[in-house]
Amino acid sequence: MAGESKVFTLADVSNHNTAQDCWLIIDGKVYDVTKFLEDHPGGDEVLLSATGKDATDDFEDVGHSSTARAMMDEYYVGKIDSSTIPGKVKYTPPKQPHYNQDKTSDFIIKILQFFVPLAILGLAVAIRFYTKSA
């Protein structure tokens, strides 16, 4: 990494997104990993899936060794202009009506409100017919 670093935009890096020309961003630095694709212990698919974008999270999630981190210098091509990388958007779930865990009891109450008066009416009719015939 001798000398002055070239500064790239995300658009610049995004143009290098094939197995023949594979660039990615890790910790604000741009790496041309094209020559490393065949030697990558995790396979070339891992690098190709991260090509042309900020792969910092992917890189950190794997937990690379200090040896792997030292090898990165060989593939360094410059820095990324961080103003060209979109900020992370915090996920906010859509607003939903409050979930009533007692929905079942509401349903039972509505059924009872219908059947209890019906039962009382039926009982009253039965008593009327029973007392009339006696």
Side-chain angles (χ1 to χ4, degrees), residues 2 8 10 26 28 30-32 35 46 55 61 64 69 71-72 79 87 90 105-106 114 116-117 122-123 133:
F8 297 97
L10 181 60
I26 299 172
V30 180
Y31 299 92
D32 179 352
K35 294 177 183 171
V46 176
D61 287 347
H64 286 85
R69 292 176 186 275
M71 288 176 63
M72 293 169 63
K79 296 179 182 176
K90 185 179 180 219
S105 63
D106 286 350
F114 175 76
V116 169
L123 186 61
S133 62

Side-chain angles (χ1 to χ4, degrees), residues 31-113:
Y31 299 92
D32 179 352
V33 295
T34 310
K35 294 177 183 171
F36 185 61
L37 288 175
E38 290 180 18
D39 298 327
H40 187 257
D44 62 350
E45 306 87 26
V46 176
L47 295 176
L48 289 170
S49 70
T51 190
K53 63 180 187 176
D54 188 340
T56 304
D57 290 341
D58 297 335
F59 181 82
E60 295 299 337
D61 287 347
V62 173
H64 286 85
S65 67
S66 55
T67 306
R69 292 176 186 275
M71 288 176 63
M72 293 169 63
D73 290 347
E74 185 179 337
Y75 304 101
Y76 178 82
V77 291
K79 296 179 182 176
I80 188 72
D81 178 353
S82 59
S83 69
T84 64
I85 297 177
K88 291 184 180 178
V89 178
K90 185 179 180 219
Y91 175 76
T92 51
K95 296 271 184 207
Q96 295 181 348
H98 177 69
Y99 175 69
N100 182 1
Q101 293 179 338
D102 297 329
K103 267 198 187 303
T104 307
S105 63
D106 286 350
F107 179 70
I108 291 171
I109 290 170
K110 287 182 181 178
I111 288 177
L112 290 175
Q113 286 174 339

